[in-house]
Amino acid sequence: MNFYNLSSAVELRRSQLVVGSPELINSNISMHDHTLFSRVGFRGRGVESFLREQGLNVPAVPNQSVVTAAGVLVLRLSHTEFWVIDTDKSQHEFIEALELASKGVANVYRLYCQHSHGCFLVRGENTSNMFAKVCGVDLSEKAFECASIAQTSVARVNAIIAKQVISGEEGYLVLSDIAGTQHLWDAIADASAEFN
Amino acid sequence: MKIMNCPLNGPRNISEFVYGGEVKPMPDMVNCSDKEWAEYVFYYDNTIRIVQEWWFHSPSGYWFIAERHTASDEILKTYDPSEIFKERIDFEVKAKPAQEVVS
């Protein structure tokens, strides 16, 4: 099979999300569309050592994340599944090089999360209270520490929620199937409205 | 809401899970009869006992095994499939002789 580079043609990517304007829902909660930011996923028994060889720190246990000083976020979604995400649109070359470096590495298989998922960042003072309305998992400060990941249902849509310090501020990165992101965006915006 | 304990993600609403059938020993897929294969894929005993079942946590795409009592519907235990399945199973297909096309 030919090796297709999923990170290529970054300038041709288009987000289908109609986010409305402004992205700041209110003074307490803000939402930012990160769908077009580069990301790549890997699954397999060889991924952990592959990422370490590439100079990335990886979390020791599933459902944890680490972020590098340069803004590359590494999510560990299971013992053998990792997603590497650019958090400030500056690490495209790194992600692309990482994807190309995985070619031919034993027990490392790429995942199509660039095109299969939408991604957005939600942050602000009342974000965890807002999530309590749409998500069954307790994401409050006490129960859900920074660097935790919850893979669960949000507003009846499957989603991955990663809490991490992104661009110097704590926030929740939400990844969800691309077909459902508009619904999820609107549902979160609607749930946020009352915290004005 | 019923809660199930996912071995990877912890307790989650039952609506996040999908049933995947009973855990049964797989017959030799190359040499078994069609009847044996159909029994393996489609038929279950349906008796009152504790069964081992495949369950799928949909948001994380994770398959695991649960032990459930079929009468009380109580889920007694959930665990990673690696506790039972230690080795990868490859589905090697024996090449069949080409059949003539009957027109």
Side-chain angles (χ1 to χ4, degrees):
Chain A
M1 201 180 92
N2 290 327
F3 189 86
Y4 295 104
N5 182 11
L6 299 168
S7 299
S8 61
V10 63
E11 67 286 353
L12 296 178
R13 285 181 204 148
R14 297 284 180 272
S15 175
Q16 301 293 314
L17 206 58
V18 181
V19 297
S21 174
E23 287 190 335
L24 193 71
I25 302 301
N26 53 55
S27 54
N28 290 320
I29 297 173
S30 66
M31 296 169 70
H32 313 270
D33 184 14
H34 283 199
T35 301
L36 300 183
F37 293 17
S38 294
R39 58 185 166 272
V40 64
F42 301 103
R43 188 183 276 177
R45 281 181 289 124
V47 179
E48 187 173 357
S49 56
F50 165 71
L51 292 179
R52 286 190 200 280
E53 280 164 23
Q54 297 298 316
L56 284 171
N57 255 337
V58 296
V61 290
N63 286 322
Q64 290 287 313
S65 69
V66 288
V67 67
T68 68
V72 175
L73 178 65
V74 181
L75 309 183
R76 184 170 198 161
L77 298 179
S78 77
H79 289 289
T80 54
E81 182 172 339
F82 297 81
W83 288 15
V84 183
I85 297 172
D86 177 9
T87 57
D88 62 0
K89 223 179 179 178
S90 64
Q91 298 298 314
H92 171 69
E93 283 75 22
F94 176 80
I95 304 265
E96 189 173 24
L98 190 69
E99 193 193 339
L100 288 169
S102 73
K103 185 180 179 182
V105 179
N107 296 315
V108 174
Y109 307 95
R110 284 175 306 159
L111 299 168
Y112 302 87
C113 62
Q114 178 75 66
H115 305 290
S116 65
H117 282 67
C119 177
F120 40 87
L121 177 67
V122 188
R123 63 181 166 200
E125 204 183 317
N126 277 308
T127 310
S128 62
N129 290 333
M130 180 278 295
F131 273 121
K133 294 168 68 182
V134 290
C135 176
V137 176
D138 186 358
L139 301 180
S140 65
E141 203 69 39
K142 277 187 290 178
F144 196 70
E145 289 175 359
C146 191
S148 301
I149 296 173
Q151 301 179 72
T152 184
S153 180
V154 181
R156 299 195 172 241
V157 175
N158 287 342
I160 299 163
I161 303 173
K163 187 179 185 182
Q164 189 51 270
V165 176
I166 291 167
S167 308
E169 204 186 315
E170 208 170 77
Y172 297 80
L173 203 64
V174 181
L175 293 128
S176 169
D177 191 293
I178 192 96
T181 40
Q182 186 67 55
H183 156 76
L184 191 54
W185 179 277
D186 293 343
I188 290 177
D190 182 54
S192 303
E194 76 165 272
F195 296 100
N196 222 334
Chain B
M1 179 64 81
K2 202 168 175 178
I3 304 288
M4 192 173 193
N5 189 41
C6 173
L8 177 64
N9 297 285
R12 289 288 191 273
N13 288 343
I14 198 77
S15 61
E16 293 186 13
F17 297 94
V18 182
Y19 173 70
E22 252 180 58
V23 177
K24 297 187 284 190
M26 186 166 67
D28 177 354
M29 79 293 280
V30 178
N31 299 311
C32 74
S33 67
D34 289 352
K35 187 168 185 290
E36 281 174 305
W37 188 252
E39 274 175 10
Y40 168 65
V41 177
F42 299 113
Y43 299 137
Y44 304 107
D45 286 342
N46 199 24
T47 51
I48 292 179
R49 64 194 167 98
I50 293 166
V51 283
Q52 273 185 326
E53 295 169 329
W54 285 104
W55 282 84
F56 179 66
H57 183 244
S58 169
S60 58
Y62 172 71
W63 284 101
F64 61 95
I65 294 171
E67 291 184 6
R68 185 177 66 92
H69 195 280
T70 50
S72 68
D73 204 26
E74 191 185 351
I75 296 154
L76 304 158
K77 201 177 159 195
T78 56
Y79 46 90
D80 192 88
S82 64
E83 289 190 22
I84 295 181
F85 299 96
K86 306 283 185 201
E87 284 174 19
R88 182 189 164 89
I89 299 171
D90 283 312
F91 291 84
E92 280 178 33
V93 182
K94 236 197 269 176
K96 282 186 179 173
Q99 288 182 341
E100 280 182 38
V101 177
V102 182
S103 59

